[in-house]
């Protein structure tokens, strides 16, 4: 079919049609998911390499779909971004994370950091800072335990805006992490004037360890540069002992990955924390 322009035109036209219909249905479903409380947060622990303590958790969105079961964010966040629905969904995520953070404090896990992902579109919502301010004020949390994860592209699109927003939120106590580091185009030195305390090395580099010498060099360079800028480093996607050992030797501060724990439901996180507290 590829060699026949006529056929291939119809083929793509058909695909386009299907995908627009699919997109609209997905959006309608998402809207009712938000209203109907089908969205849920999963929590993945982050472990301090020096002390082996759980330093915090990343909050990861899941959709408990009535017929499809548990759906991961890669399947619906792009549609939520395109439709703008990511903005109300994102505020719901922050609200829910703050509620759980408060519960953790009340349960006797006081120092646990809760990290929340902020996408490009959320970050550029005009009401972002005031809405986040209202959410954390109502939640009555220790704001130094709330961390927002942003990618380089969200921050570099409009550096002046990013600087203003990050400073405002940082003054309230909120800290920032640079997510998926290494995959974008900017360098850490471009970002040094922003209040970023943490860099997360993208899992693609961690998972290439042992297969590519470049991955080793890149990870070494990121860790040493981040440390020289007084930033901590979390490596994502750590699945094996070998990856862990390499990262330990490089003085990476924290790791997050299936090796220690997968993202889990709230009840499972509470059990996980209790078990670790006892041992
Ligand atoms: P991310 O921010 O890079 O989150 C880390 C992803 O890596 C998660 O995928 C996590 O389950 C996965 N992961 C962690 N450890 C391992 C490992 O050892 N091996 C492998 N193969 N994967 C690991 P998840 O939960 O599917 O989330 C995918 C992406 O969706 C996230 O990537 C983030 O960009 C986005 N996302 C998730 N929740 C939210 C949210 O509340 N708001 C926004 N805007 N984006 C979100
Ligand atoms: Ca993240
Ligand atoms: Ca990431
Ligand atoms: Ca990612």
């Amino acid at each position: 079919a590829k060699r026949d322009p006529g056929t291939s035109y119809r083929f793509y036209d058909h695909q386009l049609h299907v995908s627009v219909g699919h997109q609209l249905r997905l959006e309608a479903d998402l809207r009712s998911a938000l209203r109907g409380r089908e969205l849920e947060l999963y929590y993945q622990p982050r472990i301090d390499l020096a002390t082996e303590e759980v330093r915090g958790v990343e909050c990861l969105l899941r959709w408990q779909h009535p017929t499809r079961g548990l759906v991961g964010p890669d399947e619906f966040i792009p549609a939520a971004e395109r439709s703008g629905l990511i903005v109300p969904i994102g505020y719901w995520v922050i609200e829910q994370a703050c509620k759980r953070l408060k519960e953790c404090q009340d349960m006797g896990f006081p120092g646990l950091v809760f990290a929340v992902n902020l996408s490009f579109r959320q970050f550029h919502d005009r009401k972002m800072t005031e809405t986040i301010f209202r959410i954390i004020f109502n939640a009555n949390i220790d704001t130094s335990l709330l961390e927002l994860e942003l990618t380089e592209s969200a921050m570099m699109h409009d550096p002046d805006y990013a600087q203003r927003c990050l400073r405002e939120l940082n003054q309230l106590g909120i800290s920032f992490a640079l997510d998926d580091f290494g995959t974008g185009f900017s360098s850490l030195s471009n970002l040094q004037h922003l209040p970023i305390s943490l860099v997360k090395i993208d899992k693609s580099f961690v998972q290439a360890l042992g297969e590519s010498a470049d991955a080793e060099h890149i990870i070494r360079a990121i860790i040493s540069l981040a440390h020289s800028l007084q930033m901590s480093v979390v490596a994502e996607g750590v699945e094996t002992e070998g990856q862990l050992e390499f990262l330990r030797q490089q003085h990476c501060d924290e790791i997050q990955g299936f090796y220690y724990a997968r993202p889990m439901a709230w009840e499972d996180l509470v059990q996980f924390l209790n078990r670790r507290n006892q041992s």
Side-chain angles (χ1 to χ4, degrees):
K2 274 235 156 115
R3 252 172 266 124
D4 177 353
T7 317
S8 77
Y9 174 76
R10 272 199 300 279
F11 174 74
Y12 287 117
D13 192 39
H14 174 69
Q15 285 292 87
L16 188 67
H17 182 72
V18 167
S19 80
V20 168
H22 176 75
Q23 166 80 11
L24 290 176
R25 196 156 355 101
L26 188 57
E27 278 177 37
D29 281 359
L30 255 181
R31 215 165 257 129
S32 71
L34 181 60
R35 274 197 311 266
R37 314 204 171 278
E38 288 165 22
L39 298 180
E40 192 177 330
L41 293 186
Y42 267 43
Y43 305 86
Q44 186 178 31
R46 244 164 57 188
I47 281 86
D48 186 310
L49 270 180
T51 64
E52 310 240 324
E53 276 170 10
V54 181
R55 283 296 321 280
V57 293
E58 178 172 7
C59 303
L60 295 158
L61 196 54
R62 299 289 182 267
W63 180 0
Q64 193 65 66
H65 193 280
T67 55
R68 291 168 61 207
L70 199 64
V71 181
D74 288 336
E75 287 184 58
F76 62 89
I77 292 216
E81 284 270 339
R82 274 192 298 270
S83 62
L85 264 176
I86 193 66
V87 174
I89 289 176
Y91 292 135
W92 177 84
V93 170
I94 299 174
E95 231 164 58
Q96 186 69 7
C98 288
K99 187 179 138 204
R100 295 311 196 187
L101 200 172
K102 182 88 181 134
E103 280 179 62
C104 263
Q105 290 180 311
D106 296 344
M107 276 187 305
F109 305 112
L112 214 63
V113 170
F114 275 65
V116 170
N117 292 285
L118 266 197
S119 70
F120 185 91
R121 182 107 178 222
Q122 291 173 263
F123 186 61
H124 289 90
D125 176 45
R126 273 186 299 109
K127 298 209 163 130
M128 180 188 64
T129 51
E130 75 183 72
T131 309
I132 292 181
F133 177 78
R134 187 173 44 73
I135 292 172
I136 61 179
F137 182 81
N138 288 335
N140 190 23
I141 52 156
D142 176 353
T143 51
S144 71
L145 297 174
L146 182 63
E147 190 171 271
L148 299 178
E149 298 191 358
L150 282 159
T151 58
E152 298 163 81
S153 54
M155 287 194 255
M156 294 315 291
H157 175 71
D158 182 348
D160 292 337
Y161 172 81
Q163 176 153 350
R164 201 168 59 242
C165 290
L166 263 59
R167 289 214 171 136
E168 271 177 44
L169 293 169
N170 190 237
Q171 271 160 10
L172 300 173
I174 296 173
S175 58
F176 291 91
L178 192 54
D179 206 357
D180 299 344
F181 191 71
T183 55
F185 303 100
S186 60
S187 73
L188 271 187
S189 51
N190 278 338
L191 302 160
Q192 43 169 323
H193 56 284
L194 295 173
I196 297 167
S197 45
L198 189 93
V199 173
K200 300 189 82 173
I201 300 177
D202 192 68
K203 59 174 174 285
S204 58
F205 297 108
V206 174
Q207 295 183 344
L209 280 173
E211 286 152 32
S212 116
D214 285 353
E216 278 189 29
H217 296 143
I218 292 167
I219 290 176
R220 270 206 198 95
I222 293 175
I223 294 175
S224 95
L225 186 57
H227 283 168
S228 72
L229 297 169
Q230 328 300 331
M231 298 175 186
S232 301
V233 182
V234 178
E236 308 185 314
V238 178
E239 292 182 356
T240 69
E241 179 101 50
Q243 293 163 350
L244 175 79
E245 272 321 309
F246 174 80
L247 292 160
R248 201 199 290 283
Q249 278 161 23
Q250 303 308 316
H251 306 290
C252 182
D253 302 280
E254 295 175 46
I255 60 156
Q256 180 180 336
F258 295 173
Y259 182 77
Y260 263 115
R262 288 180 179 257
M264 55 187 105
W266 172 249
E267 295 70 27
D268 298 323
L269 177 71
V270 172
Q271 273 189 24
F272 178 89
L273 294 172
N274 275 321
R275 255 197 325 271
R276 289 189 66 107
N277 246 12
Q278 279 154 16
S279 58

